[in-house]
Amino acid sequence: MKTDPREIALLEGLAKNERQAIETIYKQHYNMVQALIINNNGSIDDARDIFQETMIVLYEKARSGTFELNCLLKTYIYSVGRRLWLKKLQQQQKFVPEMNGIDELVPVEEEIEAHGERNMEFQTMEKAMLNLGEPCRSLLDAFYLQKRNMTEIAGHFGYTNSDNAKNQKYKCLMRLRKLFFAAFKNTL
Amino acid sequence: MEDLQILDAIERYLRDEMNPEEKAYFEQLRKTNPEVDQLVVEHTMFLQQMDRFAEWKNFKSTLQDVHHQLLDNGDIKEETPRATVVHYLKKYKRVMAVAASIAGITTLLIAGAATYYNRRASNEDLQQLRREFKQEVANKKNEVLNEVNQKMISKAPENAELISGGTGFLIDGKGYLVTNAHVIKGGSTFVVQNNKAQEFRAKTVYVNESNDIAILKIGDPDFKPQAVLPYSIRKNSVELGEPLFTLGFPRDEIVYNEGYMSAKTGFNGDTMTCQIGVPANPGNSGGPVFNRNGEVIGIINTRQRTAEGVVFAITAKNIIRTLETIKKEDSTLRNLKFPANTQIKGLERVQQIKKIEDCVFMVKSY
C-alpha cells in the first residue's frame, strides 16, 4: 500500500517532537481509539492512557529511523491501541471481550514488546528518582532532564558556586545509579 | 572523592569539554586502566538512559498538554459514559451472561447427576420380564390347567384375574421367597407354584420398588419347610466371563438356561445391577442367577429392548443389603436366615438343578 506523503511528514515531525505534528495526529485519531476503549469495558481515563501510550509507541518507532509505515496511519494506531488495551485487560484479569470495530489490523507485537520493556525501564528510573529525595531529585532533574547549566542551577538552589553544586550533583548521581540498578535487577 | 572526579571527567569527556591535552591524557587512562574504561562505558549508558528518560517524560507531558488544549478547543471530545447502571449493565453484560449460563449448566448437571444415580429402569429402554396375563388367555389357560390338574385344588382366589407372573426363590427354608417388586406390583393376592404344580398362598413381607426387590412369605399349611437350602448367596463380586445358569418360569414349566457374566454394571452404568449373557423371557423376572458353585449372584429383572441378549440382574450384594436392612427394621424377621454355604458345589449340573428346582417357584399375582 502506498503511504500518504502527508502522513510520512507527520511522522517526521513527530520524531522531532514537533508540537504541530503531535497535535495533528492527536486530533485525527484520538476519537477512534477512545471509541474502541469505551466500547470494550474501558473508561475515559483508560482511553486517554491507552491513546497516549500508543502515541509513545509511535514516537519511539518514528525516532528509530527504521520505521516504514506500509499501511494507513489510522490502521497502525488502531492496531497498537487495540493490542495495548487487550494487554491491560489481561493484566487486570478482566473479562477480555471480543474486540470489534474496523477489522483491518497490522501485526504490532514487536513494537508492543519493546514498548513494554522501555516502559519498565523508565518506570524504574522514575521510582529511583522519587526515592532519591530532595534536593537531589530537583538537582538531577534540573541538570539532566531540563538540561539547565550548572551556574544557573547553583544560583537557583543557593549554592555558593557552581563547583559546590557540581559536587553535590555527582553525589546525587551516584546514589541514583545505585537505586536504579538495584531496582532494575529486582524487576528483571 | 576520586569517583566524583572520574564522573566529572567522564561527563566532560562525553560532552567534549576537555582541552586536547586533558583529552589525550584521559584517553590514555582509558586504555591503560580497564576499570576506568568500564566506568566510562557504564556511565555513558546510564546517561543515555537518563536522556531517553528525559525525552520520554517531556513527550508525556507534551501529550497531556496537547490533550487538554484539544479538549479546550473542542477538537476532541471525551465521550461521557452512559448512566451508571446502564453502563455497568453493559460493562458486565457478558460476565453476567457467563455467570448465568454457568449457573444454568450447573443446575442441569446436578439435576442430570441426580437422575443418573437415581436411574430407574424406564419402560422405553428396559423390559421387565414378568408375564402379563390377558383375561381371555388366562381363562383359557385356567381351563386347561383345571382339566390337567383336576385332582389338584387351586389356591387361586375365586373370580380373581391373574395379572402377572414371575419367578421367585427361597432365601430361608421356612418359606421366605425373594422376587422382583415389579412381579407382584398391582396384585393383591399371591400364589406361588413349584415345579410339581403345587400351589401355595403367599403374602408380601417387604417391597422395595426402588431396587426392585420384594420378599414373600409362604403361609400355607401344605408347605413343608426345608431345613437347609442347597445354595447360598455370593457375598463377593463375580468375575467377568464366569459361567452362570438360571432357573425360571417363562412358561408354566421350569426352564433352565445358561450363560456368562457380561458386565459388572447394568443399564447405563447402574451399579445396582449387572449384565448377564443368559437368555431371558417374560416370566424369568425374579429368577435366581447361579454361578457354577451354586451360589446366587443375582436376580434377573430386566432386559434391554433395543439390544439383543442384554439381560440385567440385581446383584447379590443388593439382596444381602436388603435382607440385612429388613432384619433390622422388622422384629418378626429377625430370625431370617439366608444360606451361607452352598451344598451343591462340585456336583454335576443335572444334580445341582435337581436340588435347586424345589426351591424355585413361579409367582402368580392376582
Side-chain angles (χ1 to χ4, degrees), chain A residues 82-140:
Chain A
R82 180 181 173 278
R83 195 72 202 85
L84 284 173
W85 180 232
L86 278 174
K87 202 173 161 190
K88 196 165 179 187
L89 282 177
Q90 273 166 1
Q91 278 167 357
Q92 294 173 345
Q93 305 205 315
K94 275 193 185 167
F95 184 77
V96 180
E98 272 177 50
M99 296 248 183
N100 30 34
I102 51 173
D103 284 322
E104 204 183 321
L105 293 173
V106 288
V108 288
E109 294 304 320
E110 275 174 44
E111 284 95 314
I112 301 293
E113 205 171 298
H115 171 73
E117 277 170 26
R118 264 197 312 270
N119 240 2
M120 207 177 67
E121 279 174 30
F122 291 148
Q123 274 160 10
T124 313
M125 184 67 92
E126 202 155 41
K127 221 187 255 170
M129 286 286 270
L130 280 176
N131 289 337
L132 207 55
E134 296 295 348
C136 275
R137 198 174 64 82
S138 304
L139 196 58
L140 291 182

Short mmCIF file of all heavy atoms in Angstrom, two decimals, chain A residues 82-140:
data_model
loop_
_atom_site.label_atom_id
_atom_site.label_comp_id
_atom_site.label_asym_id
_atom_site.label_seq_id
_atom_site.Cartn_x
_atom_site.Cartn_y
_atom_site.Cartn_z
N ARG A 82 -5.35 -1.21 20.19
CA ARG A 82 -6.14 -2.41 20.49
C ARG A 82 -5.30 -3.42 21.26
O ARG A 82 -5.73 -3.99 22.27
CB ARG A 82 -6.60 -3.01 19.17
CG ARG A 82 -7.42 -4.26 19.29
CD ARG A 82 -7.78 -4.74 17.88
NE ARG A 82 -8.43 -6.04 17.93
CZ ARG A 82 -7.77 -7.16 18.04
NH1 ARG A 82 -6.46 -7.16 18.10
NH2 ARG A 82 -8.43 -8.31 18.09
N ARG A 83 -4.06 -3.60 20.78
CA ARG A 83 -3.17 -4.57 21.43
C ARG A 83 -2.85 -4.13 22.85
O ARG A 83 -2.84 -4.95 23.78
CB ARG A 83 -1.89 -4.69 20.59
CG ARG A 83 -1.05 -5.88 20.91
CD ARG A 83 -1.71 -7.15 20.43
NE ARG A 83 -1.19 -8.30 21.17
CZ ARG A 83 -1.65 -8.69 22.35
NH1 ARG A 83 -2.64 -8.04 22.92
NH2 ARG A 83 -1.13 -9.72 22.97
N LEU A 84 -2.57 -2.84 23.03
CA LEU A 84 -2.25 -2.32 24.36
C LEU A 84 -3.42 -2.51 25.32
O LEU A 84 -3.25 -2.86 26.48
CB LEU A 84 -1.89 -0.83 24.28
CG LEU A 84 -0.51 -0.48 23.72
CD1 LEU A 84 -0.40 1.02 23.54
CD2 LEU A 84 0.59 -0.97 24.66
N TRP A 85 -4.61 -2.27 24.80
CA TRP A 85 -5.80 -2.38 25.65
C TRP A 85 -6.05 -3.84 26.04
O TRP A 85 -6.33 -4.14 27.21
CB TRP A 85 -7.01 -1.76 24.95
CG TRP A 85 -8.27 -1.82 25.73
CD1 TRP A 85 -9.47 -2.31 25.32
CD2 TRP A 85 -8.48 -1.38 27.08
NE1 TRP A 85 -10.39 -2.20 26.32
CE2 TRP A 85 -9.82 -1.65 27.42
CE3 TRP A 85 -7.65 -0.80 28.05
CZ2 TRP A 85 -10.35 -1.35 28.67
CZ3 TRP A 85 -8.18 -0.50 29.29
CH2 TRP A 85 -9.52 -0.77 29.59
N LEU A 86 -5.89 -4.72 25.09
CA LEU A 86 -6.05 -6.15 25.40
C LEU A 86 -5.06 -6.57 26.48
O LEU A 86 -5.40 -7.29 27.42
CB LEU A 86 -5.80 -7.00 24.15
CG LEU A 86 -6.98 -7.14 23.19
CD1 LEU A 86 -6.56 -7.88 21.94
CD2 LEU A 86 -8.12 -7.90 23.88
N LYS A 87 -3.84 -6.09 26.36
CA LYS A 87 -2.80 -6.43 27.32
C LYS A 87 -3.19 -5.92 28.71
O LYS A 87 -3.05 -6.63 29.71
CB LYS A 87 -1.49 -5.78 26.87
CG LYS A 87 -0.25 -6.44 27.45
CD LYS A 87 0.98 -5.83 26.82
CE LYS A 87 2.20 -6.10 27.64
NZ LYS A 87 3.35 -5.31 27.18
N LYS A 88 -3.69 -4.69 28.74
CA LYS A 88 -4.06 -4.10 30.02
C LYS A 88 -5.22 -4.87 30.65
O LYS A 88 -5.23 -5.14 31.85
CB LYS A 88 -4.46 -2.64 29.82
CG LYS A 88 -4.49 -1.88 31.13
CD LYS A 88 -4.53 -0.39 30.90
CE LYS A 88 -4.58 0.36 32.22
NZ LYS A 88 -4.77 1.78 32.04
N LEU A 89 -6.19 -5.25 29.81
CA LEU A 89 -7.33 -6.02 30.32
C LEU A 89 -6.85 -7.34 30.90
O LEU A 89 -7.30 -7.77 31.96
CB LEU A 89 -8.32 -6.30 29.19
CG LEU A 89 -9.24 -5.17 28.79
CD1 LEU A 89 -10.11 -5.57 27.63
CD2 LEU A 89 -10.13 -4.77 29.97
N GLN A 90 -5.90 -7.95 30.21
CA GLN A 90 -5.39 -9.23 30.71
C GLN A 90 -4.68 -9.04 32.04
O GLN A 90 -4.81 -9.85 32.94
CB GLN A 90 -4.43 -9.85 29.69
CG GLN A 90 -5.18 -10.69 28.67
CD GLN A 90 -4.32 -11.02 27.47
OE1 GLN A 90 -3.16 -10.63 27.40
NE2 GLN A 90 -4.89 -11.72 26.53
N GLN A 91 -3.92 -7.94 32.14
CA GLN A 91 -3.20 -7.69 33.39
C GLN A 91 -4.18 -7.47 34.54
O GLN A 91 -3.92 -7.88 35.66
CB GLN A 91 -2.31 -6.46 33.24
CG GLN A 91 -0.98 -6.78 32.57
CD GLN A 91 -0.25 -5.54 32.16
OE1 GLN A 91 -0.74 -4.41 32.31
NE2 GLN A 91 0.95 -5.73 31.63
N GLN A 92 -5.29 -6.80 34.22
CA GLN A 92 -6.28 -6.56 35.28
C GLN A 92 -7.17 -7.77 35.49
O GLN A 92 -8.07 -7.73 36.31
CB GLN A 92 -7.16 -5.37 34.89
CG GLN A 92 -6.40 -4.06 34.85
CD GLN A 92 -7.26 -2.94 34.29
OE1 GLN A 92 -8.30 -3.18 33.68
NE2 GLN A 92 -6.82 -1.71 34.49
N GLN A 93 -6.90 -8.80 34.73
CA GLN A 93 -7.67 -10.03 34.80
C GLN A 93 -9.16 -9.78 34.65
O GLN A 93 -9.99 -10.38 35.31
CB GLN A 93 -7.42 -10.76 36.12
CG GLN A 93 -5.94 -11.01 36.32
CD GLN A 93 -5.69 -12.18 37.21
OE1 GLN A 93 -6.34 -12.30 38.24
NE2 GLN A 93 -4.79 -13.05 36.83
N LYS A 94 -9.43 -8.85 33.76
CA LYS A 94 -10.84 -8.60 33.47
C LYS A 94 -11.25 -9.52 32.34
O LYS A 94 -10.41 -10.08 31.65
CB LYS A 94 -11.03 -7.15 33.02
CG LYS A 94 -11.19 -6.19 34.17
CD LYS A 94 -11.68 -4.86 33.64
CE LYS A 94 -11.73 -3.83 34.74
NZ LYS A 94 -11.89 -2.49 34.21
N PHE A 95 -12.52 -9.62 32.19
CA PHE A 95 -13.03 -10.42 31.08
C PHE A 95 -12.62 -9.76 29.77
O PHE A 95 -12.86 -8.58 29.58
CB PHE A 95 -14.55 -10.52 31.17
CG PHE A 95 -15.13 -11.40 30.13
CD1 PHE A 95 -15.05 -12.77 30.28
CD2 PHE A 95 -15.74 -10.88 29.02
CE1 PHE A 95 -15.58 -13.60 29.32
CE2 PHE A 95 -16.27 -11.70 28.07
CZ PHE A 95 -16.18 -13.07 28.21
N VAL A 96 -11.95 -10.51 28.93
CA VAL A 96 -11.48 -9.93 27.67
C VAL A 96 -12.57 -10.08 26.61
O VAL A 96 -12.94 -11.18 26.25
CB VAL A 96 -10.20 -10.62 27.20
CG1 VAL A 96 -9.74 -10.01 25.90
CG2 VAL A 96 -9.12 -10.48 28.26
N PRO A 97 -13.09 -8.96 26.17
CA PRO A 97 -14.17 -9.05 25.20
C PRO A 97 -13.62 -9.33 23.80
O PRO A 97 -12.44 -9.15 23.55
CB PRO A 97 -14.79 -7.67 25.24
CG PRO A 97 -13.66 -6.78 25.62
CD PRO A 97 -12.69 -7.58 26.43
N GLU A 98 -14.49 -9.75 22.94
CA GLU A 98 -14.10 -9.85 21.54
C GLU A 98 -14.16 -8.45 21.00
O GLU A 98 -15.21 -7.82 20.96
CB GLU A 98 -15.10 -10.72 20.79
CG GLU A 98 -14.78 -12.17 20.82
CD GLU A 98 -15.87 -12.96 20.12
OE1 GLU A 98 -16.24 -12.59 18.99
OE2 GLU A 98 -16.37 -13.90 20.74
N MET A 99 -13.02 -7.95 20.57
CA MET A 99 -12.98 -6.57 20.11
C MET A 99 -13.57 -6.52 18.71
O MET A 99 -13.17 -7.24 17.82
CB MET A 99 -11.54 -6.12 20.03
CG MET A 99 -10.92 -6.11 21.40
SD MET A 99 -10.61 -4.43 21.86
CE MET A 99 -9.81 -4.67 23.41
N ASN A 100 -14.50 -5.62 18.58
CA ASN A 100 -14.99 -5.45 17.22
C ASN A 100 -14.83 -4.00 16.81
O ASN A 100 -14.68 -3.11 17.62
CB ASN A 100 -16.44 -5.88 17.11
CG ASN A 100 -17.17 -5.68 18.41
OD1 ASN A 100 -16.86 -4.73 19.13
ND2 ASN A 100 -18.11 -6.53 18.73
N GLY A 101 -14.85 -3.78 15.56
CA GLY A 101 -14.61 -2.46 15.04
C GLY A 101 -14.07 -2.66 13.66
O GLY A 101 -14.39 -3.65 13.00
N ILE A 102 -13.23 -1.75 13.19
CA ILE A 102 -12.67 -2.00 11.87
C ILE A 102 -11.74 -3.19 12.00
O ILE A 102 -10.97 -3.32 12.94
CB ILE A 102 -11.94 -0.77 11.30
CG1 ILE A 102 -10.91 -0.22 12.31
CG2 ILE A 102 -12.92 0.29 10.90
CD1 ILE A 102 -10.05 0.86 11.74
N ASP A 103 -11.86 -4.08 11.06
CA ASP A 103 -11.18 -5.35 11.19
C ASP A 103 -9.74 -5.32 10.70
O ASP A 103 -8.96 -6.20 11.00
CB ASP A 103 -11.95 -6.43 10.43
CG ASP A 103 -13.18 -6.83 11.21
OD1 ASP A 103 -13.09 -6.88 12.45
OD2 ASP A 103 -14.22 -7.04 10.59
N GLU A 104 -9.40 -4.27 9.96
CA GLU A 104 -8.08 -4.25 9.37
C GLU A 104 -7.03 -4.01 10.46
O GLU A 104 -7.05 -3.00 11.15
CB GLU A 104 -8.02 -3.12 8.33
CG GLU A 104 -6.97 -3.36 7.28
CD GLU A 104 -6.92 -2.19 6.32
OE1 GLU A 104 -7.98 -1.65 5.97
OE2 GLU A 104 -5.82 -1.82 5.95
N LEU A 105 -6.14 -4.96 10.60
CA LEU A 105 -5.12 -4.86 11.64
C LEU A 105 -3.76 -5.15 11.04
O LEU A 105 -3.65 -5.85 10.04
CB LEU A 105 -5.37 -5.88 12.75
CG LEU A 105 -6.62 -5.67 13.61
CD1 LEU A 105 -6.82 -6.85 14.52
CD2 LEU A 105 -6.50 -4.40 14.42
N VAL A 106 -2.73 -4.57 11.64
CA VAL A 106 -1.37 -4.93 11.23
C VAL A 106 -0.66 -5.50 12.45
O VAL A 106 -0.99 -5.18 13.58
CB VAL A 106 -0.60 -3.69 10.69
CG1 VAL A 106 -1.13 -3.29 9.34
CG2 VAL A 106 -0.67 -2.54 11.67
N PRO A 107 0.29 -6.40 12.23
CA PRO A 107 0.98 -7.00 13.37
C PRO A 107 1.86 -5.97 14.07
O PRO A 107 2.65 -5.28 13.43
CB PRO A 107 1.82 -8.11 12.73
CG PRO A 107 1.94 -7.75 11.30
CD PRO A 107 0.73 -6.97 10.95
N VAL A 108 1.71 -5.87 15.39
CA VAL A 108 2.46 -4.86 16.13
C VAL A 108 3.13 -5.46 17.35
O VAL A 108 3.54 -4.74 18.25
CB VAL A 108 1.54 -3.70 16.56
CG1 VAL A 108 1.15 -2.86 15.37
CG2 VAL A 108 0.31 -4.22 17.26
N GLU A 109 3.23 -6.79 17.36
CA GLU A 109 3.74 -7.47 18.56
C GLU A 109 5.12 -6.96 18.98
O GLU A 109 5.36 -6.71 20.16
CB GLU A 109 3.80 -8.98 18.32
CG GLU A 109 2.44 -9.62 18.15
CD GLU A 109 1.51 -9.35 19.32
OE1 GLU A 109 2.00 -9.37 20.47
OE2 GLU A 109 0.32 -9.08 19.08
N GLU A 110 6.01 -6.80 18.01
CA GLU A 110 7.39 -6.38 18.34
C GLU A 110 7.39 -5.02 19.01
O GLU A 110 8.06 -4.83 20.03
CB GLU A 110 8.22 -6.29 17.06
CG GLU A 110 8.82 -7.62 16.65
CD GLU A 110 9.53 -7.50 15.31
OE1 GLU A 110 10.25 -6.51 15.10
OE2 GLU A 110 9.31 -8.39 14.47
N GLU A 111 6.63 -4.10 18.42
CA GLU A 111 6.58 -2.76 18.98
C GLU A 111 6.08 -2.79 20.42
O GLU A 111 6.64 -2.15 21.31
CB GLU A 111 5.62 -1.87 18.17
CG GLU A 111 6.18 -1.40 16.85
CD GLU A 111 5.75 -2.31 15.72
OE1 GLU A 111 5.83 -3.54 15.89
OE2 GLU A 111 5.32 -1.78 14.68
N ILE A 112 5.02 -3.58 20.62
CA ILE A 112 4.41 -3.62 21.94
C ILE A 112 5.40 -4.19 22.96
O ILE A 112 5.52 -3.69 24.08
CB ILE A 112 3.14 -4.49 21.92
CG1 ILE A 112 2.13 -3.95 20.92
CG2 ILE A 112 2.51 -4.58 23.29
CD1 ILE A 112 1.54 -2.63 21.27
N GLU A 113 6.12 -5.20 22.51
CA GLU A 113 7.07 -5.83 23.43
C GLU A 113 8.19 -4.86 23.81
O GLU A 113 8.52 -4.68 24.97
CB GLU A 113 7.65 -7.08 22.77
CG GLU A 113 8.12 -8.10 23.79
CD GLU A 113 8.48 -9.40 23.11
OE1 GLU A 113 7.59 -10.01 22.50
OE2 GLU A 113 9.67 -9.76 23.17
N ALA A 114 8.76 -4.20 22.76
CA ALA A 114 9.84 -3.24 23.00
C ALA A 114 9.32 -2.10 23.89
O ALA A 114 10.01 -1.67 24.82
CB ALA A 114 10.33 -2.67 21.68
N HIS A 115 8.08 -1.70 23.62
CA HIS A 115 7.49 -0.62 24.39
C HIS A 115 7.34 -1.03 25.86
O HIS A 115 7.63 -0.24 26.75
CB HIS A 115 6.13 -0.26 23.80
CG HIS A 115 5.36 0.70 24.64
ND1 HIS A 115 5.70 2.02 24.73
CD2 HIS A 115 4.28 0.52 25.45
CE1 HIS A 115 4.86 2.63 25.55
NE2 HIS A 115 3.99 1.73 26.00
N GLY A 116 6.91 -2.26 26.06
CA GLY A 116 6.76 -2.75 27.43
C GLY A 116 8.08 -2.74 28.19
O GLY A 116 8.13 -2.29 29.33
N GLU A 117 9.14 -3.17 27.51
CA GLU A 117 10.46 -3.18 28.16
C GLU A 117 10.91 -1.76 28.52
O GLU A 117 11.37 -1.50 29.63
CB GLU A 117 11.50 -3.82 27.24
CG GLU A 117 11.47 -5.34 27.32
CD GLU A 117 12.32 -5.95 26.22
OE1 GLU A 117 13.27 -5.29 25.73
OE2 GLU A 117 12.01 -7.10 25.85
N ARG A 118 10.76 -0.87 27.54
CA ARG A 118 11.18 0.52 27.77
C ARG A 118 10.38 1.12 28.91
O ARG A 118 10.93 1.76 29.81
CB ARG A 118 10.95 1.35 26.51
CG ARG A 118 12.18 1.50 25.65
CD ARG A 118 12.00 2.63 24.66
NE ARG A 118 10.72 2.54 23.98
CZ ARG A 118 10.54 1.89 22.84
NH1 ARG A 118 11.54 1.27 22.26
NH2 ARG A 118 9.34 1.84 22.27
N ASN A 119 9.10 0.86 28.88
CA ASN A 119 8.23 1.39 29.93
C ASN A 119 8.71 0.95 31.30
O ASN A 119 8.72 1.73 32.25
CB ASN A 119 6.82 0.87 29.71
CG ASN A 119 5.85 2.00 29.52
OD1 ASN A 119 6.26 3.16 29.51
ND2 ASN A 119 4.58 1.66 29.35
N MET A 120 9.13 -0.32 31.36
CA MET A 120 9.58 -0.84 32.65
C MET A 120 10.84 -0.10 33.10
O MET A 120 10.97 0.28 34.26
CB MET A 120 9.84 -2.33 32.54
CG MET A 120 9.68 -3.04 33.84
SD MET A 120 9.93 -4.79 33.61
CE MET A 120 11.64 -4.84 33.19
N GLU A 121 11.75 0.12 32.14
CA GLU A 121 12.99 0.85 32.47
C GLU A 121 12.68 2.24 32.98
O GLU A 121 13.21 2.68 34.00
CB GLU A 121 13.87 0.96 31.23
CG GLU A 121 14.68 -0.28 30.93
CD GLU A 121 15.43 -0.15 29.60
OE1 GLU A 121 15.79 1.01 29.24
OE2 GLU A 121 15.61 -1.17 28.96
N PHE A 122 11.80 2.92 32.24
CA PHE A 122 11.50 4.31 32.61
C PHE A 122 10.80 4.37 33.96
O PHE A 122 11.06 5.27 34.77
CB PHE A 122 10.63 4.96 31.54
CG PHE A 122 11.36 5.19 30.25
CD1 PHE A 122 10.71 5.14 29.04
CD2 PHE A 122 12.73 5.46 30.26
CE1 PHE A 122 11.39 5.34 27.85
CE2 PHE A 122 13.42 5.67 29.08
CZ PHE A 122 12.75 5.61 27.87
N GLN A 123 9.93 3.41 34.18
CA GLN A 123 9.24 3.43 35.46
C GLN A 123 10.21 3.17 36.61
O GLN A 123 10.08 3.74 37.68
CB GLN A 123 8.10 2.41 35.46
CG GLN A 123 6.83 3.00 34.88
CD GLN A 123 5.85 1.96 34.42
OE1 GLN A 123 6.03 0.77 34.69
NE2 GLN A 123 4.82 2.40 33.71
N THR A 124 11.19 2.27 36.34
CA THR A 124 12.21 2.02 37.36
C THR A 124 12.98 3.31 37.65
O THR A 124 13.24 3.65 38.81
CB THR A 124 13.19 0.95 36.86
OG1 THR A 124 12.44 -0.13 36.33
CG2 THR A 124 14.05 0.44 37.98
N MET A 125 13.30 4.02 36.57
CA MET A 125 14.04 5.27 36.72
C MET A 125 13.22 6.28 37.50
O MET A 125 13.72 6.96 38.40
CB MET A 125 14.37 5.82 35.32
CG MET A 125 15.21 7.07 35.33
SD MET A 125 16.87 6.75 35.97
CE MET A 125 17.73 6.42 34.44
N GLU A 126 11.94 6.36 37.18
CA GLU A 126 11.07 7.30 37.85
C GLU A 126 10.99 7.00 39.35
O GLU A 126 11.06 7.90 40.19
CB GLU A 126 9.67 7.23 37.23
CG GLU A 126 8.85 8.48 37.47
CD GLU A 126 7.79 8.67 36.41
OE1 GLU A 126 7.17 7.65 36.04
OE2 GLU A 126 7.57 9.81 35.98
N LYS A 127 10.90 5.71 39.63
CA LYS A 127 10.82 5.30 41.03
C LYS A 127 12.11 5.65 41.76
O LYS A 127 12.09 6.16 42.88
CB LYS A 127 10.57 3.78 41.11
CG LYS A 127 9.57 3.40 42.19
CD LYS A 127 9.51 1.90 42.33
CE LYS A 127 8.25 1.33 41.72
NZ LYS A 127 8.30 -0.13 41.63
N ALA A 128 13.23 5.39 41.08
CA ALA A 128 14.53 5.69 41.69
C ALA A 128 14.64 7.18 41.98
O ALA A 128 15.10 7.58 43.06
CB ALA A 128 15.65 5.24 40.76
N MET A 129 14.17 7.99 41.03
CA MET A 129 14.20 9.44 41.22
C MET A 129 13.35 9.85 42.42
O MET A 129 13.76 10.69 43.22
CB MET A 129 13.67 10.15 39.97
CG MET A 129 14.61 10.13 38.79
SD MET A 129 16.00 11.27 39.00
CE MET A 129 15.33 12.76 38.29
N LEU A 130 12.18 9.23 42.54
CA LEU A 130 11.29 9.58 43.64
C LEU A 130 11.91 9.20 44.98
O LEU A 130 11.79 9.92 45.97
CB LEU A 130 9.94 8.87 43.48
CG LEU A 130 8.97 9.53 42.50
CD1 LEU A 130 7.72 8.68 42.35
CD2 LEU A 130 8.61 10.94 42.98
N ASN A 131 12.59 8.03 44.99
CA ASN A 131 13.17 7.56 46.24
C ASN A 131 14.41 8.36 46.64
O ASN A 131 14.90 8.24 47.76
CB ASN A 131 13.57 6.08 46.12
CG ASN A 131 12.34 5.20 46.08
OD1 ASN A 131 11.28 5.61 46.54
ND2 ASN A 131 12.48 4.00 45.54
N LEU A 132 14.91 9.14 45.68
CA LEU A 132 16.14 9.88 45.92
C LEU A 132 15.95 10.97 46.98
O LEU A 132 16.84 11.22 47.79
CB LEU A 132 16.57 10.51 44.59
CG LEU A 132 18.03 10.79 44.38
CD1 LEU A 132 18.85 9.55 44.59
CD2 LEU A 132 18.23 11.30 42.94
N GLY A 133 14.80 11.56 46.98
CA GLY A 133 14.52 12.63 47.95
C GLY A 133 15.13 13.95 47.52
O GLY A 133 15.91 14.03 46.57
N GLU A 134 14.72 15.01 48.23
CA GLU A 134 15.21 16.35 47.90
C GLU A 134 16.49 16.63 48.68
O GLU A 134 16.68 16.05 49.75
CB GLU A 134 14.15 17.38 48.25
CG GLU A 134 12.87 17.26 47.44
CD GLU A 134 13.05 17.55 45.96
OE1 GLU A 134 14.12 18.06 45.56
OE2 GLU A 134 12.15 17.23 45.19
N PRO A 135 17.39 17.49 48.24
CA PRO A 135 17.29 18.26 46.99
C PRO A 135 17.82 17.51 45.77
O PRO A 135 17.80 18.07 44.69
CB PRO A 135 18.17 19.46 47.30
CG PRO A 135 19.25 18.91 48.19
CD PRO A 135 18.62 17.81 48.98
N CYS A 136 18.29 16.25 46.01
CA CYS A 136 18.91 15.51 44.91
C CYS A 136 18.02 15.44 43.69
O CYS A 136 18.46 15.63 42.55
CB CYS A 136 19.25 14.09 45.35
SG CYS A 136 20.84 13.99 46.18
N ARG A 137 16.72 15.11 43.93
CA ARG A 137 15.82 14.88 42.81
C ARG A 137 15.72 16.12 41.91
O ARG A 137 15.90 16.07 40.71
CB ARG A 137 14.43 14.49 43.33
CG ARG A 137 13.56 13.82 42.30
CD ARG A 137 12.27 13.35 42.94
NE ARG A 137 11.49 14.48 43.43
CZ ARG A 137 10.70 15.22 42.64
NH1 ARG A 137 10.62 14.95 41.36
NH2 ARG A 137 10.03 16.24 43.13
N SER A 138 15.51 17.27 42.57
CA SER A 138 15.36 18.51 41.80
C SER A 138 16.66 18.87 41.09
O SER A 138 16.66 19.34 39.95
CB SER A 138 14.96 19.66 42.73
OG SER A 138 13.80 19.31 43.43
N LEU A 139 17.74 18.61 41.80
CA LEU A 139 19.05 18.96 41.25
C LEU A 139 19.31 18.17 39.97
O LEU A 139 19.66 18.73 38.92
CB LEU A 139 20.11 18.64 42.31
CG LEU A 139 21.50 19.24 42.13
CD1 LEU A 139 21.39 20.76 42.08
CD2 LEU A 139 22.39 18.81 43.28
N LEU A 140 19.10 16.85 40.05
CA LEU A 140 19.34 16.00 38.89
C LEU A 140 18.33 16.31 37.79
O LEU A 140 18.67 16.33 36.61
CB LEU A 140 19.22 14.52 39.28
CG LEU A 140 20.33 13.99 40.19
CD1 LEU A 140 20.14 12.51 40.45
CD2 LEU A 140 21.70 14.23 39.56
#
